[in-house]
Amino acid sequence: MVSLLSGLCLCLAFSPTQEDQGVYRSVGAPAQAYFAETFDADSLDRRWVLSRAVKEDDADVHKYDGGWVVEEPEKQVLLGNKGLVLKSPGRHHAIAAYLRTVHHFRDKPLLLQYEVHFQKGIDCGGAYMKLLTHSDDLRLSQFSDVTPYSIMFGPDKCGSTYKVHFIFRHRNPRTGKYEEKHARQPETDLSEYFTDRKPHLYSLNLYPDNTFEILIDQTLVKTGSLLEDMDPPVVPPREIEDPEDTKPSHWDDRRHIPDPTAAKPHDWDEEAPRLIADPTVQRPAGWIEEEGPFVPDPEAQPPHDWSVEMDGEWEAPLIPNPACAEAAGCGPWKPPMVPNPAFKGKWRAPVIDNPKYQGKWQPRMIPNPAYFEDPQPFRMSPVGAIGFELWSLTGDVLFDNILLCDDLEMAKRWTEDTWGQRKTPGILEQLLLATAKRPWLWGVYVFTVGLPIILFVSLMWPDKRFGPSTEDYYYKKSDEPQPDSPQDPEGHTALTGSGAEVKTGPRKRETRKAQKKSDLELKEVSD
């Protein structure tokens, strides 16, 4: 009965209502962050700039015609929580915002994180962010795919390939050219983050010791080094193959050759066919070669609207030849084909090891003119803005809670204040939260939890029957006589509160035995 009542009360306490749904708590931007955005306003902040870049072949048409809006997700988790939503499927989108201050890669880490929600799943498209390289001519209104960036980070999916990009552009100090360096993909299966239609937190931690970490929902999925885990590698090889070196004309790199001493046997017939007619088979008796297996239907008539001028000459449909109904077959008879025992095919000389084999030729190695050493690839080009430059076949991709900073504690607090609001509380926390709106639940808790504890303690409290055998009050359930306690000598009496005497000596049965023994002794003396 107690369990039934407690279960009913708990069901009432945790039944989903509009009142119980979480309400989003607005989070202020950290003052020391390079960039922080929660999209709590009803519209895009003025610092966000839509790209007005035009197509190369038509200066009157904008290249990025996809729409952006700030709105709540279709399936609300926290009431009042908004995000930046990519709205137009199958179109190009570009939007960017300047940082509060330019970020320089010096002696502090770079910490980037933001949330992505594929509300309708994703067929093919990206949701990555670009950290745009700071320069005097950086114009966000002209942000496009050719705008220089320092880092690109975030999820991307097309077909059956699921990725989390981490790419940085590295400048070769010898050639002055920039190259994209791609981090190797995590070994973890990433498909769930693209298909479960739930928001996920993507984090990139980049440290001055040239190491990096990629986390999804605060779970580490990839860690590595800028010097060892990028493709192509940051530091080029010391030596390369000489592009002007060519293989000598006399170089023989054939491992095996046809035997030059072998000759085709004189009885080898290369013209013999692979299949021949079976000479052992004869035409079946009753086979009619003069009749065909099918004949035109004599009863068929052309349609009434058939026009020879329009439809051509009409032909009756074919039916099985009645003359062949009882015959073994009709039409030209041909014997079945069987493998030709004389067939050998084209003759080829057997293969032997090449006595002049010189091995596989390789060009000689020369010093790499583009070789350099860069012990600090972390020192990238400074970042002046962030932006999304995306194409997606599926719309309604939501972005939220963007943070770029260089303080681990700041990033931790930001994560707790934003992403932490979506965490499902534990059972004890849920019970305590429920009492805030339903104080009467404290009575339920006391009744369902406190009462069983009290009953358990009262029933299991040690007594003389179940105490330890080393204690005086231990009592063993047995019919055997029990020895007297050394503290209770025979014949000792005690007074109760009412003044009555209480015998604490041996049991009654033992007392009677002692009395009988005493009577016998007296009788013997008297005799």
Side-chain angles (χ1 to χ4, degrees):
M1 183 65 182
V2 173
S3 301
L4 179 62
L5 181 59
S6 61
L8 179 60
C9 293
L10 291 177
C11 289
L12 293 174
F14 295 106
S15 58
T17 63
Q18 185 72 16
E19 181 184 6
D20 289 334
Q21 187 171 10
V23 178
Y24 173 72
R25 302 186 306 275
S26 180
V27 179
Q32 300 302 318
Y34 291 96
F35 189 88
E37 177 64 86
T38 59
F39 300 103
D40 288 343
D42 294 332
S43 59
L44 279 175
D45 191 280
R46 293 181 59 185
R47 60 179 170 173
W48 287 97
V49 179
L50 293 172
S51 175
R52 299 298 177 187
V54 297
K55 294 185 176 181
E56 295 179 0
D57 55 349
D58 193 342
D60 295 330
V61 179
H62 287 143
K63 185 175 182 178
Y64 300 95
D65 55 354
W68 297 91
V69 298
V70 172
E71 63 184 13
E72 296 185 12
E74 295 179 357
K75 293 184 178 180
Q76 189 63 272
V77 178
L78 295 172
L79 292 176
N81 186 28
K82 301 182 180 68
L84 176 65
V85 182
L86 178 151
K87 293 297 293 184
S88 309
R91 295 188 179 184
H92 292 84
H93 300 69
I95 192 171
Y98 289 107
L99 303 186
R100 184 180 61 85
T101 58
V102 176
H103 175 79
H104 295 274
F105 293 88
R106 292 171 180 163
D107 56 354
K108 291 187 177 181
L110 176 137
L111 311 173
L112 171 64
Q113 63 183 62
Y114 67 106
E115 298 174 22
V116 179
H117 187 182
F118 296 112
Q119 301 183 80
K120 296 181 178 179
I122 184 71
D123 294 322
C124 183
Y128 42 79
M129 177 186 293
K130 290 183 177 181
L131 303 186
L132 305 182
T133 304
H134 170 69
S135 65
D136 294 337
D137 57 353
L138 177 61
R139 298 291 182 270
L140 300 188
S141 60
Q142 299 303 311
F143 175 38
S144 69
D145 56 340
V146 298
T147 302
Y149 68 89
S150 298
I151 290 176
M152 189 174 83
F153 171 71
D156 186 19
K157 186 257 183 180
C158 201
S160 59
T161 304
Y162 303 88
K163 294 183 178 181
V164 175
H165 289 297
F166 166 42
I167 306 172
F168 76 95
R169 294 175 71 245
H170 183 265
R171 181 179 180 274
N172 187 318
R174 285 187 176 271
T175 63
K177 296 182 179 180
Y178 283 87
E179 294 181 344
E180 290 185 348
K181 309 297 181 180
H182 296 245
R184 301 186 184 104
Q185 287 299 307
E187 298 179 358
T188 307
D189 181 11
L190 303 176
S191 59
E192 180 181 358
Y193 301 114
F194 294 81
T195 58
D196 62 2
R197 303 193 179 189
K198 296 179 180 179
H200 295 286
L201 176 65
Y202 293 84
S203 304
L204 170 65
N205 299 337
L206 190 58
Y207 299 101
D209 64 353
N210 301 311
T211 59
F212 66 88
E213 298 172 338
I214 298 176
L215 302 92
I216 305 179
D217 297 343
Q218 297 182 282
T219 299
L220 185 66
V221 298
K222 180 67 176 179
T223 182
S225 167
L226 299 180
L227 291 168
E228 300 174 0
D229 299 293
M230 309 301 291
D231 291 323
V234 171
V235 178
R238 289 180 177 271
E239 293 183 331
I240 61 172
E241 295 179 350
D242 186 354
E244 298 181 358
D245 191 15
T246 58
K247 183 172 69 173
S249 59
H250 59 80
W251 190 279
D252 193 345
D253 56 2
R254 298 173 300 165
R255 184 180 293 274
H256 301 95
I257 60 172
D259 186 356
T261 63
K264 183 175 69 173
H266 67 279
D267 60 346
W268 191 285
D269 185 6
E270 292 185 343
E271 303 299 328
R274 182 184 295 272
L275 299 174
I276 60 173
D278 190 349
T280 63
V281 179
Q282 300 293 328
R283 185 178 65 181
W287 189 282
I288 307 175
E289 287 191 303
E290 296 78 12
E291 294 286 343
F294 296 95
V295 295
D297 187 355
E299 299 181 358
Q301 298 292 329
H304 67 278
D305 58 349
W306 188 273
S307 172
V308 176
E309 293 78 8
M310 298 292 296
D311 303 320
E313 197 69 31
W314 182 80
E315 296 181 358
L318 299 178
I319 61 173
N321 191 344
C324 301
E326 302 297 332
C330 292
W333 179 83
K334 294 181 180 179
M337 304 299 287
V338 295
N340 183 3
F343 172 78
K344 296 183 178 180
K346 186 175 179 62
W347 181 84
R348 291 181 175 84
V351 176
I352 62 173
D353 292 338
N354 183 4
K356 298 181 179 180
Y357 175 67
Q358 295 176 269
K360 184 179 179 180
W361 182 85
Q362 291 182 336
R364 63 174 176 268
M365 304 299 290
I366 61 173
N368 186 357
Y371 174 77
F372 64 91
E373 291 185 3
D374 183 2
Q376 284 292 330
F378 173 80
R379 300 289 179 88
M380 305 176 192
S381 301
V383 177
I386 68 169
F388 296 100
E389 188 264 318
L390 305 169
W391 177 89
S392 176
L393 192 59
T394 309
D396 290 322
V397 181
L398 184 144
F399 304 90
D400 199 5
N401 298 325
I402 304 170
L403 177 69
L404 178 65
C405 68
D406 57 12
D407 188 324
L408 287 169
E409 287 299 322
M410 181 189 301
K412 181 180 178 180
R413 290 193 301 270
W414 175 268
T415 302
E416 293 174 351
D417 294 341
T418 56
W419 177 254
Q421 294 189 45
R422 291 193 179 93
K423 286 186 177 180
T424 303
I427 184 62
L428 294 178
E429 187 177 352
Q430 292 183 47
L431 293 173
L432 293 176
L433 290 175
T435 59
K437 298 179 180 179
R438 300 178 178 89
W440 52 270
L441 284 176
W442 284 112
V444 176
Y445 298 162
V446 172
F447 181 73
T448 57
V449 180
L451 183 60
I453 293 176
I454 294 173
L455 293 175
F456 176 81
V457 172
S458 62
L459 292 175
M460 299 303 294
W461 193 263
D463 57 22
K464 293 183 179 181
R465 292 178 300 168
F466 303 106
S469 59
T470 58
E471 298 295 333
D472 295 339
Y473 57 74
Y474 173 74
Y475 176 72
K476 182 177 181 182
K477 292 183 177 181
S478 174
D479 293 336
E480 296 297 327
Q482 302 297 320
D484 295 337
S485 172
Q487 297 180 0
D488 297 326
E490 183 177 352
H492 177 73
T493 60
L495 294 178
T496 63
S498 60
E501 293 185 359
V502 179
K503 294 283 186 177
T504 59
R507 290 182 175 84
K508 185 177 181 180
R509 184 171 53 184
E510 296 174 353
T511 304
R512 290 179 178 178
K513 289 181 180 180
Q515 289 176 351
K516 289 180 180 179
K517 183 177 180 181
S518 177
D519 293 341
L520 290 174
E521 292 176 350
L522 291 175
K523 185 178 180 181
E524 291 177 356
V525 172
S526 61
D527 291 341

